């Protein structure tokens, strides 16, 4: 009881942590890919704060920004869909182990004011970021430790396609936003934004108050002064510090001011109040600006002159750079000096272009998208490009989701069609990424004849089954486990590619004076490939203990027999809610095996109260305990081995209930007693996989 509650709680906890991490990573990877330039600027801030600017180039920072977006997005998708669990959870721990102390340092020292984890979509203070990272670190460690409990939402052979497609998606999305501006513009200069409204202070709000402190020195003595008590010349200035005296309201736009570089005139109001249109060419640094599209810029300038619209260029570069730019590009427009950070915020492209009317951002273009003469064919009032077109965030999210889900579903569907068309079967699926065969666990229907049928009857039954399956190929592996005396006769009778043959027991001794016993080697010498071990009837009537069974399993494996190892609780144990403990204890016989040997066995869960009684476990009961058994295997041998272990259900399985039982994700077939004695019934159960 306690065990099963603990088990359920741990599984829930692991999956809640996994979903939390997945959502955060997908979101933060996506918002970074939405604005790689923005994250590149942020990385530049970090490099400056840590004195690394000499070591890193702009292109390296951009590559790091895109790489980080792709890594986070990939980890998020792995965790969301529950595959590559070891890699995803391990990488999450490493990432958070790096980020958490880093953000603690940022919170304490404040060298960069906003961490940039979520781009401009969600801006957190450094302390908020630190605590967020503490939570994520704990979640990542929990997911890593409990990764075996993470529920998988896609099949194993779809993994590589999802991996390739998600990386393509996030890289193409990054490239798209880099070339055409972010799809989601979270900054105060987005299309439709009223710049003047963004500059307003709400009534009664106070601006933040800063104070400048001067650290001065005289005769080896250092002292701090304010602006009011600034000392005489006998003191020399050591350092100037600006400290926030009172936090206040800072409007989203607080540094948009346009100073003409020709005569120093402030053109801000003239531009913002203009009832006609103004084009703004924005290039924060002319030396770094791409001059590949300057013909387009000049065309827009000519168009403005012809239609009497204002055209201004904004830069933070100096006069020399402006002159060189105009010489190089043949531009004739007026430049205004504007703060660099402001310009980087206005438009991510360098250069980029804005169209304003009455202070409202009507349209915005990246370098490559600046409208050309074929678009600028009439006055702006008549052109759609001069109408504010704001697409809602929801519709953009929907479009991005569709671009992710529709092609991916199509690829997966095509793969399914390819698979089911018989060109590949699920047992030998090749993952091209890892160039390795993906071992899929097998669906198996195994018959257990028990102490039934004379030799002649057994031969007739095997022949009949062989013919039925030759005529109608099964969609799963089929095994018949017969009494010892049938083995040598039945094995050569059946098509070994379709039907495997096995014994119902074998001795726990190698050979010698054990009257009445049959060794694993003797079973194997008949051509049989399987052996049932640990059946509840053998445990109950012949006193087979965990230790005896451990010996039998080892001998079977040593003789290349595949054990079908049975576990299950009796009615009293189930009623006392002890079935989980019972199966966990029974598994001890096989949990001493190496992972490689364990990979060779098949498990069969058989609730003893259901064997031969006509009472079947409900599909839900079967799924619950099968999933539990698989989680025990995962804990012991790792998820991959657990995923590859076939777990059969046994106990009054019939054609009428087989389909429903086998439909459960963790039920991989059945061990059939009574119904295996009639071909029609056994075949009916085999056909549940059709
Ligand atoms: P049953 O037996 O199908 O007759 O219930 C199953 C078994 O004991 O393997």
């Amino acid at each position: 009881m306690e065990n099963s509650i603990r088990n359920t709680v741990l599984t829930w906890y692991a999956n809640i942590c996994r979903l939390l991490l997945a959502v955060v990573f997908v979101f933060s990877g996506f918002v970074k890919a939405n604005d790689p330039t923005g994250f590149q600027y942020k990385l530049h801030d970090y490099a400056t704060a840590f004195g690394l600017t000499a070591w890193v180039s702009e292109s390296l920072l951009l590559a790091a920004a895109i790489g980080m977006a792709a890594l986070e997005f990939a980890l998020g998708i792995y965790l969301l869909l529950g595959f590559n669990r070891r890699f995803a959870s391990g990488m999450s721990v490493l990432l958070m182990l790096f980020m958490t102390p880093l953000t603690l340092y940022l919170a304490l020292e404040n060298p960069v004011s906003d961490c940039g984890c979520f781009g401009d979509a969600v801006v957190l203070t450094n302390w908020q970021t630190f605590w967020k990272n503490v939570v994520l670190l704990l979640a990542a460690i929990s997911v890593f430790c409990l990764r075996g409990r993470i529920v998988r939402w896609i099949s194993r052979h779809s993994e590589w396609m999802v991996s390739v497609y998600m990386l393509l998606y996030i890289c193409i999305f990054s490239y798209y936003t880099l070339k055409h501006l972010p799809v989601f513009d979270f900054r105060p200069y987005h299309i439709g934004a009223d710049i003047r409204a963004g500059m307003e202070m709400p009534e009664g709000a106070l601006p933040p108050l800063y104070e400048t402190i001067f650290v001065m020195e005289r005769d080896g003595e250092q002292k701090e002064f304010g602006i009011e008590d600034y000392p005489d010349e006998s003191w020399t200035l050591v350092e100037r510090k600006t400290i926030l005296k009172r936090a206040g309201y800072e409007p989203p736009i607080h540094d948009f001011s346009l100073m003409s570089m020709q005569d120093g005139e402030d053109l801000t109001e003239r531009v913002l109040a203009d009832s006609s249109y103004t084009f703004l060419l924005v290039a924060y640094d002319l030396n770094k600006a791409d001059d590949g599209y300057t013909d387009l810029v000049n065309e827009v300038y000519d168009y403005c002159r012809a239609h009497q619209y204002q055209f201004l260029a904004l830069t933070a570069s100096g006069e020399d750079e402006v002159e060189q730019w105009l010489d190089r590009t043949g531009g004739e427009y007026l430049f205004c000096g504007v703060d660099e950070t402001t310009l980087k915020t206005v438009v991510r492209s360098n250069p980029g272009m804005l169209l304003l009317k009455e202070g409202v951002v009507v349209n915005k273009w990246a370098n490559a998208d600046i409208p050309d003469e074929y678009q600028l064919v009439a006055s702006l009032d008549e052109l759609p490009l001069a109408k504010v077109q704001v697409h809602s965030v929801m519709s953009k999210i929907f479009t991005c989701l569709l671009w992710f889900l529709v092609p991916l579903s199509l690829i997966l569907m095509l793969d399914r069609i390819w698979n089911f068309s018989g060109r590949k079967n699920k047992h030998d699926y090749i993952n091209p990424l890892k160039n390795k065969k993906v071992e899929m666990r097998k669906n198996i229907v195994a018959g257990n004849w028990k102490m039934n049928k004379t030799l002649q009857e057994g031969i007739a039954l095997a022949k009949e089954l062989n013919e039925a399956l030759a005529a109608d190929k099964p969609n799963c592996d089929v095994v018949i486990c017969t009494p010892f005396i049938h083995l040598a006769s039945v094995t050569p009778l059946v098509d070994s590619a379709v039907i495997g043959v096995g014994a119902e027991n074998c001795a726990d001794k190698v050979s010698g004076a054990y009257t009445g016993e049959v060794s694993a080697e003797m079973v194997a010498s008949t051509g049989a490939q399987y052996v049932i071990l640990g059946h509840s009837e053998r445990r109950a009537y012949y006193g087979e203990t965990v230790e005896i069974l451990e010996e039998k399993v080892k001998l079977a494996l040593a003789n290349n027999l595949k054990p079908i190892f049975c576990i299950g609780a009796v009615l009293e144990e189930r009623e006392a809610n002890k079935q989980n403990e019972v199966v966990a204890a029974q598994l001890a016989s096989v949990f001493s095996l190496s992972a490689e040997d364990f990979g060779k066995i098949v498990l069969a869960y058989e609730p003893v109260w259901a064997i031969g009684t006509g009472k079947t476990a409900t599909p839900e009961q079967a799924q619950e305990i099968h999933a539990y058994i698989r989680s025990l295997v995962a804990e012991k041998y790792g998820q991959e081995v657990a995923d590859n272990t076939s777990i059969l259900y046994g106990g009054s399985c019939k054609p009428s209930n087989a389909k429903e039982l086998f439909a459960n994700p963790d039920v991989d077939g059945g061990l059939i007693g009574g119904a295996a004695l009639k071909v029609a019934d056994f075949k009916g159960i085999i056909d549940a996989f059709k």
Side-chain angles (χ1 to χ4, degrees):
M1 175 70 181
E2 254 172 48
N3 230 342
S4 88
I5 294 180
R6 180 179 161 267
N7 200 34
T8 316
V9 170
L10 280 180
T11 304
W12 271 95
Y13 174 67
N15 283 287
I16 290 171
C17 289
R18 155 266 186 119
L19 284 181
L20 171 78
L21 274 184
V23 170
V24 172
F25 279 145
V26 167
F27 179 69
S28 97
F30 186 79
V31 292
K32 285 188 182 93
N34 173 61
D35 184 10
T37 318
F39 193 54
Q40 177 196 355
Y41 293 156
K42 189 50 76 183
L43 290 178
H44 188 269
D45 290 350
Y46 280 114
T48 314
F50 292 106
L52 297 173
T53 29
W55 302 91
V56 287
S57 65
E58 293 295 324
S59 38
L60 185 73
L61 290 177
L62 180 61
I66 297 176
M68 187 72 182
L71 175 70
E72 287 186 331
F73 190 73
L75 290 182
I77 297 286
Y78 285 157
L79 290 167
L80 192 66
L81 299 180
F83 68 106
N84 280 353
R85 284 166 278 205
R86 196 160 33 152
F87 169 77
S89 57
M91 271 308 285
S92 309
V93 173
L94 287 183
L95 195 66
M96 295 324 299
L97 276 178
F98 175 73
M99 294 307 290
T100 313
L102 177 73
T103 45
L104 175 63
Y105 173 77
L106 295 186
L108 291 171
E109 295 296 321
N110 230 9
V112 177
S113 62
D114 143 46
C115 70
C117 344
F118 301 133
D120 293 306
V122 180
V123 178
L124 299 179
T125 66
N126 284 343
W127 277 113
Q128 286 167 338
T129 306
F130 169 69
W131 289 115
K132 173 207 79 173
N133 284 348
V134 170
V135 173
L136 292 184
L137 176 63
L138 291 179
I141 294 173
S142 309
V143 173
F144 182 73
C145 297
L146 300 170
R147 60 188 182 280
R149 293 173 185 269
I150 294 181
V151 179
R152 156 193 287 278
W153 282 339
I154 60 162
S155 71
R156 190 165 274 273
H157 78 243
S158 304
E159 284 177 8
W160 75 271
M161 281 173 279
V162 178
S163 295
V164 170
Y165 183 69
M166 77 179 175
L167 282 177
L168 267 180
Y169 175 84
I170 203 72
C171 291
I172 292 175
F173 184 61
S174 302
Y175 174 77
Y176 178 88
T177 55
L178 209 54
K179 198 157 167 61
H180 302 286
L181 301 182
V183 171
F184 300 89
D185 192 345
F186 300 108
R187 291 174 311 280
Y189 300 93
H190 57 83
I191 293 177
D194 183 338
I195 296 180
R196 282 182 299 180
M199 291 164 119
E200 269 164 25
M201 288 287 284
E203 221 172 290
L206 292 171
L209 194 64
Y210 294 96
E211 189 182 295
T212 310
I213 304 279
F214 302 93
V215 184
M216 312 292 281
E217 192 181 278
R218 188 173 65 183
D219 304 334
E221 179 206 359
Q222 281 200 0
K223 219 175 145 193
E224 291 189 351
F225 296 91
I227 196 100
E228 303 84 26
D229 56 351
Y230 196 81
D232 60 34
E233 275 146 28
S234 59
W235 291 82
T236 44
L237 179 67
V238 179
E239 194 190 343
R240 178 199 304 254
K241 296 193 278 197
T242 305
I243 54 165
L244 182 66
K245 275 200 82 180
R246 184 196 65 211
Y249 179 84
E250 193 152 79
I253 299 180
H254 48 84
D255 43 13
F256 187 82
S257 103
L258 316 179
M259 292 291 175
S260 161
M261 289 179 85
Q262 207 172 48
D263 52 17
E265 190 189 344
D266 185 349
L267 300 178
T268 320
E269 200 39 43
R270 211 171 88 194
V271 167
L272 294 182
D274 190 354
S275 59
S276 179
Y277 294 93
T278 305
F279 277 93
L280 297 178
L281 176 71
V282 179
Y284 76 91
D285 184 338
L286 290 172
N287 286 336
K288 292 183 192 159
D290 177 359
D291 54 12
Y293 295 88
T294 47
D295 286 349
L296 289 180
V297 175
N298 292 343
E299 273 172 29
V300 175
Y301 175 68
D302 292 341
Y303 169 80
C304 287
R305 291 208 24 196
H307 289 81
Q308 275 148 29
Y309 301 130
Q310 284 200 83
F311 184 107
L312 289 174
L314 316 183
T315 187
S317 294
E319 280 171 17
D320 291 347
E321 282 94 356
V322 167
E323 243 168 66
Q324 284 164 16
W325 171 268
L326 292 176
D327 278 352
R328 197 162 70 236
T329 64
E332 292 167 7
Y333 32 84
L334 174 69
F335 264 92
C336 290
V338 182
D339 176 70
E340 175 172 327
T341 311
T342 307
L343 293 182
K344 284 175 165 174
T345 315
V346 171
V347 64
R348 289 305 197 202
S349 177
N350 181 28
M353 196 171 271
L354 251 69
L355 177 61
L356 298 189
K357 188 180 183 188
E358 291 176 332
V360 173
V361 182
V362 173
N363 212 337
K364 202 170 177 177
W365 298 274
N367 197 11
D369 300 327
I370 294 174
D372 58 19
E373 56 182 324
Y374 301 104
Q375 288 165 281
L376 299 171
V377 285
S379 74
L380 285 175
D381 283 327
E382 296 164 43
L383 294 178
L385 64 84
K387 306 266 170 307
V388 178
Q389 282 168 13
V390 188
H391 301 284
S392 76
V393 173
M394 280 325 279
S395 77
K396 288 188 202 171
I397 292 179
F398 189 66
T399 314
C400 291
L401 257 181
L402 279 189
W403 270 104
F404 187 65
L405 294 178
V406 173
L408 185 61
S409 316
L410 271 176
I411 298 172
L412 292 178
M413 238 165 64
L414 284 177
D415 177 69
R416 284 298 141 92
I417 294 169
W418 169 270
N419 260 312
F420 287 125
S421 68
R423 301 199 55 167
K424 304 173 202 157
N425 75 51
K426 69 174 195 161
H427 303 319
D428 60 0
Y429 190 82
I430 306 287
N431 178 341
L433 279 192
K434 296 183 179 154
N435 198 17
K436 107 174 184 203
K437 197 155 139 187
V438 176
E439 293 271 337
M440 302 283 296
R441 62 175 179 260
K442 295 178 177 179
N443 290 324
I444 304 170
V445 173
N448 174 10
W449 289 6
K450 306 195 179 180
M451 198 174 73
N452 293 297
K453 306 284 177 192
T454 62
L455 179 61
Q456 292 70 25
E457 286 165 351
I459 289 174
L461 176 60
K463 270 190 185 161
E464 195 187 337
L465 180 69
N466 194 47
E467 276 160 27
L469 296 185
D472 182 15
K473 287 256 178 291
N475 239 351
C476 60
D477 285 10
V478 175
V479 178
I480 47 176
C481 296
T482 75
F484 292 127
I485 59 138
H486 295 74
L487 289 175
S489 312
V490 161
T491 314
L493 274 183
V494 296
D495 175 358
S496 61
V498 181
I499 303 177
V501 178
E504 296 169 13
N505 181 27
C506 71
D508 61 338
K509 301 286 186 298
V510 179
S511 66
Y514 300 102
T515 307
E517 285 296 291
V518 176
S519 72
E521 190 185 9
M522 289 152 75
V523 170
S525 71
T526 66
Q529 307 100 7
Y530 292 84
V531 58
I532 298 177
L533 291 174
H535 192 280
S536 61
E537 287 149 16
R538 298 234 33 110
R539 290 181 195 258
Y541 310 143
Y542 302 96
E544 293 192 354
T545 60
V546 168
E547 294 73 29
I548 293 176
L549 288 169
E550 191 175 341
E551 280 311 305
K552 291 191 175 195
V553 168
K554 285 189 181 144
L555 287 170
L557 286 169
N559 287 284
N560 290 325
L561 290 174
K562 229 175 174 350
I564 299 176
F565 187 75
C566 306
I567 49 179
V570 298
L571 188 60
E572 300 80 70
E573 291 162 337
R574 183 178 85 120
E575 279 171 354
N577 221 340
K578 284 211 163 94
Q579 66 263 45
N580 284 6
E581 277 164 56
V582 171
V583 296
Q586 291 171 337
L587 279 170
S589 308
V590 283
F591 273 5
S592 56
L593 297 175
S594 67
E596 194 189 342
D597 277 346
F598 187 87
K600 295 175 190 155
I601 74 167
V602 173
L603 293 178
Y605 167 70
E606 300 202 308
V608 181
W609 47 269
I611 296 177
T613 58
K615 290 187 201 141
T616 333
T618 63
E620 294 73 30
Q621 283 170 335
Q623 167 57 23
E624 191 185 333
I625 187 113
H626 278 229
Y628 171 67
I629 295 166
R630 201 179 299 288
S631 76
L632 292 177
V633 177
E635 252 168 50
K636 174 77 192 167
Y637 293 106
Q639 194 60 42
E640 192 156 346
V641 173
D643 283 345
N644 290 332
T645 305
S646 300
I647 309 178
L648 315 184
Y649 169 80
S652 298
C653 189
K654 318 180 257 273
S656 58
N657 58 21
K659 207 172 187 127
E660 223 184 337
L661 284 162
F662 300 169
N664 287 300
D666 287 296
V667 179
D668 308 309
L671 180 57
I672 319 299
L677 299 173
K678 281 198 193 121
V679 170
D681 288 348
F682 195 48
K683 171 96 174 22
I685 296 174
I686 293 167
D687 287 348
F689 279 114
K690 288 232 156 142

